[in-house]
Amino acid sequence: MSSKPILQSNNLSKTYERKIALSSLSLTVEKGELIALIGPSGTGKTTLLNILANIIPSDTGNFEVDGLPIQHYPSNRILAKKIGVIRQQFDLVGQSPVIHNVLAGRLGEWGFFKSLFSLVFPQDKDLALAALERVGLRNKVYEKTSNLSGGEQQRVALARLLVQHPEVILADEPVASLDPARAEDILSMLVKLVREEKQTLITSLHSVEYAKKYFTRIIALREGSIYFDSPSEEITDQMLLDLYHLKELE
Ligand SMILES: Nc1ncnc2c1ncn2[C@@H]1O[C@H](COP(=O)(O)OP(=O)(O)OP(=O)(O)O)[C@@H](O)[C@H]1O
């Protein structure tokens, strides 16, 4: 049984002033794939994720999400059921209690006011509580979010994603600001939740070790283009050496 790709991009390019950040990048992603984007700093990983998340426009090319060109999505709310974003800085409201940040995942479905209003509806509160339970934060529900540690805040962001429940999750260096133990903790939790929910995950990562351990497919970018695109188990040390080698040493 063949199904249509959840994401398909054709010839995406982006130039900042005179710097080519992305160069004619084409990519097909099937439902359920766990993809790590790796590569040296400044090779276009964030640019690609931001284009796919519809945060910035590409200069050329186009892409489809679940068979529909991105510009044909009638609203950001409908797109939010397809694509969710998780970032390094978590994007949480520090002054608000944890549960408010988790319920913000409902924005995609109901709009801002209804999301706020939904705080009084038990079934939505239950959804948020269940999400917080799954990420191990059931005891922090009413805590001010900024009082939580970096790792705990990233788990709040995961709970918010559980409530939003998009089909594709785009994560830009989701563990970069955490210490190694917390980073692995969060990454393994993210991958476990994505597998359980049968979602699709595309994450940029600096750690090749984590990319190989947790992801099924690794896409390496170099100078805005795909340098290799392989199943994790086929990645060799030589491929990585070539990818990260400084130009002047070659
Ligand atoms: N807003 C911007 N204005 C100008 N140049 C930019 C802008 N955003 C990115 N760039 C440049 O585009 C290139 C690609 O940047 P991008 O952030 O996509 O790379 P990256 O692979 O995510 O890097 P890192 O691993 O360091 O996060 C870099 O050379 C960067 O300096």
Side-chain angles (χ1 to χ4, degrees):
M1 196 182 77
S2 71
S3 61
K4 60 178 182 294
I6 188 74
L7 238 160
Q8 185 144 38
S9 82
N10 297 303
N11 291 315
L12 294 177
S13 299
K14 183 79 184 174
T15 303
Y16 294 106
E17 286 136 32
R18 254 166 283 137
K19 168 76 197 176
I20 298 173
L22 218 54
S23 177
S24 298
L25 194 139
S26 297
L27 183 65
T28 300
V29 177
E30 304 295 338
K31 279 182 188 161
E33 284 198 285
L34 300 170
I35 298 177
L37 285 178
I38 65 167
S41 223
T43 48
K45 303 182 293 293
T46 298
T47 303
L48 174 61
L49 289 171
N50 282 343
I51 290 172
L52 296 178
N54 209 24
I55 294 169
I56 58 169
S58 61
D59 296 335
T60 67
N62 52 59
F63 68 100
E64 293 183 353
V65 178
D66 207 11
L68 191 65
I70 188 75
Q71 62 274 19
H72 291 189
Y73 275 83
S75 70
N76 283 341
R77 278 201 263 153
I78 292 173
L79 189 60
K81 290 310 291 174
K82 293 289 173 191
I83 291 191
V85 178
I86 186 163
R87 297 187 211 231
Q88 226 179 90
Q89 330 76 286
F90 321 142
D91 296 330
L92 301 172
V93 181
Q95 292 303 312
S96 296
V98 164
I99 190 161
H100 286 216
N101 274 298
V102 175
L103 280 165
R106 282 306 240 184
L107 281 172
E109 204 145 323
W110 282 1
F112 184 68
F113 289 107
K114 200 159 181 188
S115 282
L116 288 183
F117 199 59
S118 76
L119 288 169
V120 299
F121 289 117
Q123 84 247 35
D124 295 318
K125 200 173 135 193
D126 286 352
L127 202 66
L129 294 181
L132 285 167
E133 177 91 52
R134 282 177 76 184
V135 301
L137 285 181
R138 187 62 181 79
N139 56 341
K140 305 272 183 179
V141 176
Y142 298 106
E143 189 98 26
K144 190 171 151 188
T145 306
S146 57
N147 288 347
L148 271 54
S149 71
E152 287 170 338
Q153 290 193 31
Q154 196 56 312
R155 282 194 270 158
V156 175
L158 292 188
R160 184 182 53 188
L161 265 186
L162 279 171
V163 168
Q164 181 186 343
H165 205 263
E167 288 184 43
V168 181
I169 294 171
L170 303 174
D172 190 9
E173 281 291 341
V175 297
S177 55
L178 304 175
D179 66 71
R182 294 275 170 283
E184 181 145 20
D185 188 39
I186 292 294
L187 201 57
S188 61
M189 185 180 284
L190 174 63
V191 170
K192 177 172 171 282
L193 294 173
V194 163
R195 280 185 187 276
E196 285 171 1
E197 301 297 320
K198 299 188 171 36
Q199 292 162 304
T200 306
L201 178 62
I202 308 178
T203 307
S204 67
L205 272 184
H206 277 126
S207 166
V208 173
E209 183 196 336
Y210 292 159
K212 286 170 79 168
K213 184 167 173 186
Y214 291 104
F215 293 79
T216 52
R217 175 177 169 192
I218 297 184
I219 298 176
L221 292 190
R222 203 164 130 169
E223 294 174 7
S225 300
I226 294 180
Y227 189 67
F228 62 72
D229 177 354
S230 301
S232 306
E233 65 273 14
E234 289 174 17
I235 306 288
T236 63
D237 289 348
Q238 191 58 51
M239 286 160 83
L240 296 170
L241 274 176
D242 291 344
L243 172 68
Y244 287 101
H245 242 115
L246 293 172
K247 239 183 173 174
E248 50 269 33
L249 295 181
E250 284 174 347

